[in-house]
Amino acid sequence: MILDVAMITLSYLPLATNNTWTYDVATGTHSSSDELTVSSVSGSNYTLTANPAVPAGLMTGVLSSGELTAANGQLIGNGTIGFDFQGVGGILH
C-alpha cells in the first residue's frame, strides 16, 4: 500500500467558534489548567481567548495574545506577548 502523505490534511486544533481545549500546566511543584477557546472567526482570521485571563501556560498565552491568520497551510500570529519575570528586580529594561 502506498500512502501519499501530501494528500492528507489533519487538524489538531480545529478553529471553529466556541471550540475549547483544556491544558494541564505544571510549573515546578505547582499545577493548574488553562482553557483556550476560539472566540471569533472572520474569514481566515481567528481570535482565541484564555481562561484564566492570564494563563499559566506559555503557549496558551501566545495563542490568546492576538489574532491568528490561516495562510498557505500555516497559522500566523499577530499580537503582543508580555512576560512577567518575577524576581529579576530591574535588570531588564
Side-chain angles (χ1 to χ4, degrees):
M1 178 177 173
I2 298 174
L3 181 62
D4 186 353
V5 178
M7 297 196 55
I8 298 174
T9 301
L10 299 174
S11 181
Y12 294 99
L13 187 66
L15 294 170
T17 304
N18 296 321
N19 279 4
T20 301
W21 298 266
T22 301
Y23 300 94
D24 293 325
V25 180
T27 309
T29 59
H30 177 65
S31 64
S32 61
S33 292
D34 284 351
E35 185 176 88
L36 189 62
T37 302
V38 179
S39 58
S40 68
V41 178
S42 177
S44 60
N45 299 318
Y46 305 89
T47 302
L48 297 114
T49 55
N51 186 16
V54 179
L58 176 64
M59 282 310 297
T60 305
V62 168
L63 292 172
S64 64
S65 67
E67 186 175 79
L68 296 175
T69 301
N72 301 318
Q74 299 177 336
L75 280 177
I76 301 165
N78 182 13
T80 303
I81 302 170
F83 295 98
D84 182 13
F85 293 106
Q86 296 179 355
V88 175
I91 294 173
L92 300 175
H93 297 283

